[in-house]
Amino acid sequence: HPLTISANMLSMITMASATRRPSMATPRFSRATIRQLDYLRQRLYSHPTYGMLSLREKHVPIPVPVLTAMVHDADPLLRELAAHHPSTPPKLFWILAHDSKETVRYALARRTTPPFDLLIKDRLVGIRYLLVQHPNIPLPLLQSLVRDPSRTVATWAKCRVSTTPLSWLIRKAEQLH
């Protein structure tokens, strides 16, 4: 039985989202974008676990202005959803990669093609660990993780560098020339 959101609770959520994170300049959004954002928020909070999974797994089409509003929102669940969504434009990755909530950065690291260069220096070992295991991590970044302060990440990187198929190395070398 899904939870219903009272008007009071919805206004509290909306007020929380209106409180922007002060470290970033937030763009202005149209009323239509705000309405779509509020609809997503209501859907998400009607049942937090199922709402998040359904929005994630079904890859509900979300317009870029709404994704941009989600990235700038104070609600970490909306930012996490934006980090995971396949339509989020790469120009927003920098904001997401520097988010104060680790769940947002984890969602970004779990993308099919994460922004390796932005997350490679993340302070959380778990994020660097996800990157070192990613099959598409560029070889230079993988080699830089060999000197990672985390023993686990460094060990994985050493194993991956030493077992990188020769055909892959040749292909990468040809791409550079």
Side-chain angles (χ1 to χ4, degrees):
H1 175 348
L3 261 149
T4 55
I5 297 181
S6 69
N8 189 24
M9 186 176 171
L10 190 57
S11 70
M12 286 173 33
I13 292 169
T14 307
M15 285 186 339
S17 71
T19 313
R20 306 288 180 203
R21 294 174 289 157
S23 60
M24 304 176 195
T26 306
R28 288 233 180 257
F29 301 104
S30 70
R31 285 185 183 170
T33 298
I34 298 298
R35 273 196 306 275
Q36 288 176 313
L37 184 63
D38 288 340
Y39 169 76
L40 281 173
R41 187 186 327 278
Q42 186 173 13
R43 185 170 170 188
L44 184 63
Y45 280 100
S46 65
H47 193 291
T49 304
Y50 175 73
M52 185 68 157
L53 286 174
S54 70
L55 288 172
R56 245 193 213 164
E57 298 309 317
K58 294 178 182 170
H59 294 302
V60 173
I62 302 174
V64 172
V66 177
L67 285 165
T68 304
M70 290 167 68
V71 167
H72 290 281
D73 200 89
D75 186 342
L77 278 178
L78 285 173
R79 296 194 315 267
E80 182 181 341
L81 183 60
H84 187 272
H85 201 277
S87 298
T88 301
K91 67 181 181 179
L92 298 174
F93 289 168
W94 189 91
I95 296 168
L96 294 166
H98 293 88
D99 199 283
S100 61
K101 291 297 249 184
E102 57 196 53
T103 56
V104 174
R105 298 193 318 271
Y106 271 111
L108 194 60
R110 287 188 185 104
R111 289 178 64 89
T112 309
T113 51
F116 294 107
D117 54 335
L118 294 174
L119 293 170
I120 203 82
K121 300 262 188 228
D122 197 280
R123 69 180 184 277
L124 290 176
V125 173
I127 290 175
R128 296 191 315 274
Y129 183 71
L130 280 173
L131 296 179
V132 79
Q133 293 180 335
H134 200 283
N136 297 328
I137 186 170
L139 186 59
L141 292 178
L142 186 60
Q143 289 170 331
S144 73
L145 287 173
V146 168
R147 297 176 302 282
D148 194 86
S150 163
R151 205 164 156 185
T152 306
V153 172
T155 303
W156 266 95
K158 287 175 193 169
C159 290
R160 291 276 319 273
V161 167
S162 65
T163 58
T164 302
L166 184 59
S167 60
W168 186 85
L169 291 171
I170 291 170
R171 220 177 23 248
K172 285 296 178 185
E174 288 171 351
Q175 288 174 356
L176 294 173
H177 295 295

